[in-house]
Amino acid sequence: MRALVLSDIHANLEALNAVLGAVGDWDVLWNLGDLVGYGASPNEVVEAVRPISTLVVRGNHDRVCAGLTSMARFNPTARAAANWTLEKLTPDNLEWLRALPQGPLEPAMDGAEGAKVTLAHGSPLNEDQYILSMRDAWAPLQQMATDITFVGHTHVQGGFSQKDHDWHEIRPRFAGAAGSESWTLALPPGTRHLINPGSVGQPRDCDWRAAAAVFDTARCEVTYYRIPYDVPAAQARVLTAGLPERLAARLSEGR
Ligand code: ZN
C-alpha cells in the first residue's frame, strides 16, 4: 500500500495541486493538519482535500482558524491570517475543520503488510510541540506507540531515527534543482522513526518547492518529494486577499 502523507498545506492551492499531480498513484492519503491559515485559498484547499483524505489530524492553525482555541499565542502575522480565514470559511468547511480529531491517531491498515504507524501534527505526546532537534525528538522516540510516527508542524522535511544508542537526524539529500526531486529512505524494523513529510504550502527549510512524502507499507520505505509549483500565482492570491505581505514573500524564500 502506498500512503501519501501531506502536512501543513496552509491554504496554498497551487502547491497542493502540484503535489497531487506529481507524486503518482497512492492508495490512502494521510493528512497531518494545518490545512488552513497563512494562505489565501482555505475553502478551495478544504474542498480539494476533504473527499480524498483517508485520515486527517487537526493542526494548531485548523484549531485556531476554526475558532476552537484562542489566538493569543499566535504572532501578529499568524493572527491576521487566522482572523481572515475564520471570516472567509464557509459554514460547512468551518464545521468540518472544527470536527477534525486531535492526534495522535493510528490509521487502520486493512490488509496492508508492514509496520503500524501513528499520525500526529506536532509531537505524538503534544500536538503543539515542535520537533526540531534530537533533543525534542528523544522523548517521543522513546514513548510513541508505534515504531514509525509521521509528524508535521515544523515545516522542515526529514525526521529522526533511533535504535538503542544509535540515533540520526534525517535530512533528504536533494541536488536542489529547479525541477521535481525525490529521495527514498528504508525504515528498517526495530528502529524508531519520526518522519516529517515537510510542508506542502509553506516550506521553511530553505527550499521553496512543495514538500510531501509517500510511505510504501510493504517495502517499509519512505520517499520524500520536492515539487515546484506556481509560486507567483500563490503570492498574487495572498496579496490580492489583503493578507500580510510577509506571507507572500516567504513562499519564494522557503523560510
Ligand atoms: Zn503549520
Side-chain angles (χ1 to χ4, degrees):
M1 182 174 90
R2 277 166 60 84
L4 172 60
V5 190
L6 301 182
S7 193
D8 299 279
I9 302 168
H10 282 290
N12 186 337
L13 185 66
E14 287 75 15
L16 174 64
N17 284 338
V19 167
L20 293 175
V23 293
D25 293 337
W26 41 268
D27 303 298
V28 294
L29 197 170
W30 297 333
N31 199 311
L32 307 181
D34 278 6
L35 283 77
V36 301
Y38 297 138
S41 307
N43 288 307
E44 295 87 340
V45 163
V46 168
E47 284 153 22
V49 159
R50 208 173 143 172
I52 59 173
S53 292
T54 313
L55 202 55
V56 185
V57 178
R58 78 171 183 197
N60 55 319
H61 283 260
D62 303 322
R63 202 180 66 216
V64 170
C65 291
L68 286 174
T69 51
S70 150
M71 297 180 191
R73 288 171 65 192
F74 272 15
N75 64 44
T77 305
R79 202 177 306 159
N83 275 315
W84 180 91
T85 305
L86 183 53
E87 206 172 279
K88 295 288 172 196
L89 282 167
T90 66
D92 196 37
N93 290 337
L94 184 62
E95 195 182 322
W96 182 78
L97 280 171
R98 280 173 177 267
L100 287 179
Q102 178 180 353
L105 298 178
E106 266 188 59
M109 305 281 272
D110 301 335
E113 299 164 50
K116 287 201 173 349
V117 306
T118 303
L119 311 179
H121 179 64
S123 163
L125 308 179
N126 175 350
E127 64 177 337
D128 287 335
Q129 194 200 328
Y130 292 90
I131 302 179
L132 283 160
S133 65
M134 196 63 209
R135 180 192 282 257
D136 302 329
W138 195 251
L141 281 169
Q142 311 306 307
Q143 295 175 45
M144 56 204 210
T146 55
D147 277 350
I148 301 169
T149 297
F150 290 95
V151 297
H153 196 38
T154 62
H155 301 207
V156 176
Q157 191 178 48
F160 300 88
S161 72
Q162 181 250 325
K163 184 178 187 182
D164 304 323
H165 295 292
D166 195 19
W167 55 267
H168 297 279
E169 183 170 352
I170 301 159
R171 287 302 295 267
R173 289 184 208 113
F174 294 124
S180 289
E181 287 187 87
S182 66
W183 186 75
T184 298
L185 175 75
L187 309 181
T191 303
R192 314 274 281 170
H193 283 92
L194 281 164
I195 299 292
N196 192 323
S199 168
V200 173
Q202 197 200 73
R204 295 180 195 160
D205 45 13
C206 300
D207 186 334
W208 60 271
R209 295 172 298 175
V214 170
F215 177 55
D216 186 315
T217 59
R219 293 166 179 253
C220 211
E221 61 184 30
V222 65
T223 300
Y224 294 95
Y225 289 87
R226 294 313 281 240
I227 297 150
Y229 72 96
D230 191 346
V231 171
Q235 290 174 318
R237 249 193 238 256
V238 166
L239 297 174
T240 305
L243 285 159
E245 279 178 33
R246 173 75 193 126
L247 294 175
R250 69 185 307 171
L251 296 179
S252 45
E253 297 166 7
R255 51 187 283 266

